[in-house]
Structure formats: structure tokens, C-alpha cells
Amino acid sequence: MTAVTGEDARPGYGEGREALLAAAVRVVAHGGLRKLTYRSVAAEAGVTHGLVAHHFGSLDTLLEQALQWCVERSIETSSLVPASGRLEDFAAPLADFIAADPDLQAFQYELKLEANRRPELRHHVETLYDAYRDAVRAALACFDVPQEMAETVFAALDGLVFHQVTAGTPVRTEEGVVMLRRLLAAYRAQT
């Protein structure tokens, strides 16, 4: 983790909150949840720790909002449904998406694990992960894949993402997505 300093590091007007959320994600992704403090987020964002406290009020609020921000960014940019509209291209950019910002995913896995130790986080994590499940359901509907496959497809994609984040192997992610597409096509053909 490296702190950004200097005039160029200061976010523009209206970008401060998002810059703080991104800084919180980087802090947790690189050092785990135990490293998350107002000071660490402020140092990462190149601002004062009072600004972090002002925007979020508590570390729990910062965590909840950073998790929501991550999930929204992930869903917006993951492109499960390709422009081609073909099942053969489902989730094609997944490996590149993960490689472009692995901290985004690492943060979410850190919180998922922490929710097992801190029950007050469980509801937030599960609610937001339901957004991923909904995105998978919506994508499958575009391909006329039965909805009962949604949880299995979600689990497969989540496993591929986790593996790439922890092992750094985009080739395996790409191979896994190709196999998942084949399985979906075969399942769709049988129903």
C-alpha cells in the first residue's frame, strides 16, 4: 500500500467520498481489516483523518458503504451479458476485469471472512452478495438459461474470481469461464 501525496493526490470536488471509499478498499485489500483506521484511509487518500471521520462517522459505516461501492462497481463493469448477446461470450471479460482491479475483489473477500467473526456485518455482506446473485439471474435470463442454475453459476463465477485474486492466474479464469459456458449451453439444450 502506498500513500498518495502532493497536490495531484487531492480528489476534485465531488470525488472526495469515492476517493475515500477506494482508499479504504486498498487498505483492506493490502493489509486486512485490522489495518482499517481513519488514519490509514486518510494516508492512502492523501487527506486528513478528520475528513474520513466527517464523511462516514464510524468505521462500520465506512465498511458498509465501501462494500456497497465495490459491489456496484463490480456489477457495472463485469459485463456478464456481452454486447453480442451470445451465450458463447458470457462473462468473457471476467479475467481482465479482475486483473484490472484485484483490490476490489480482495476487499470483498476480506469482509466476507470477517462477517463470520463479526455477526453485525453478515446482513450487509449477504444483502450485497444478493446483488451479485440478481445480476447472474438477469444475465441467465438473457440467454434463456433456467433460473434454477443461477446459484450454481454464481458459485462457479465467485470461485473463479477468488482463485484469480488469490493465485493470480487469469488463464485459469478464462478456461473456467469457457467450461462454464459449455455447461450452460448443454444444460439449456436439455431443457
Side-chain angles (χ1 to χ4, degrees), residues 107-181:
F107 172 84
Q108 293 173 72
Y109 289 121
E110 286 283 344
L111 259 63
K112 185 87 166 150
L113 290 170
E114 187 64 21
N116 287 329
R117 295 181 285 272
R118 291 180 51 193
E120 68 273 13
L121 292 176
R122 286 184 190 152
H123 172 72
H124 301 293
V125 171
E126 287 305 319
T127 298
L128 296 170
Y129 266 72
D130 284 344
Y132 282 132
R133 288 179 178 92
D134 291 344
V136 169
R137 282 186 200 95
L140 294 179
C142 292
F143 303 118
D144 295 323
V145 172
Q147 291 297 293
E148 63 261 16
M149 290 295 295
E151 189 63 28
T152 302
V153 172
F154 168 75
L157 292 171
D158 195 39
L160 290 169
V161 171
F162 182 78
H163 190 268
Q164 184 171 334
V165 167
T166 59
T169 53
V171 171
R172 286 191 178 172
T173 302
E174 291 167 357
E175 291 169 350
V177 169
V178 167
M179 184 53 66
L180 182 58
R181 281 189 217 123

Side-chain angles (χ1 to χ4, degrees), residues 1-4 9 11 14-31 36-38 40-47 52 55-56 61-73 100-108 111:
M1 170 174 59
T2 59
V4 181
E15 297 172 2
R17 187 171 179 67
E18 188 163 327
L20 294 174
L21 292 170
V25 166
R26 288 190 302 274
V27 166
V28 173
H30 292 268
L36 185 70
T37 65
Y38 289 146
S40 65
V41 173
E44 183 68 29
V47 299
V52 180
H55 273 286
F56 301 102
T61 299
L62 174 60
L63 277 175
E64 291 167 20
Q65 291 184 14
L67 181 58
Q68 182 175 357
W69 180 77
C70 283
V71 172
E72 288 169 0
R73 281 193 62 199
D101 194 356
D103 291 351
L104 199 66
Q105 305 307 318
F107 172 84
Q108 293 173 72
L111 259 63

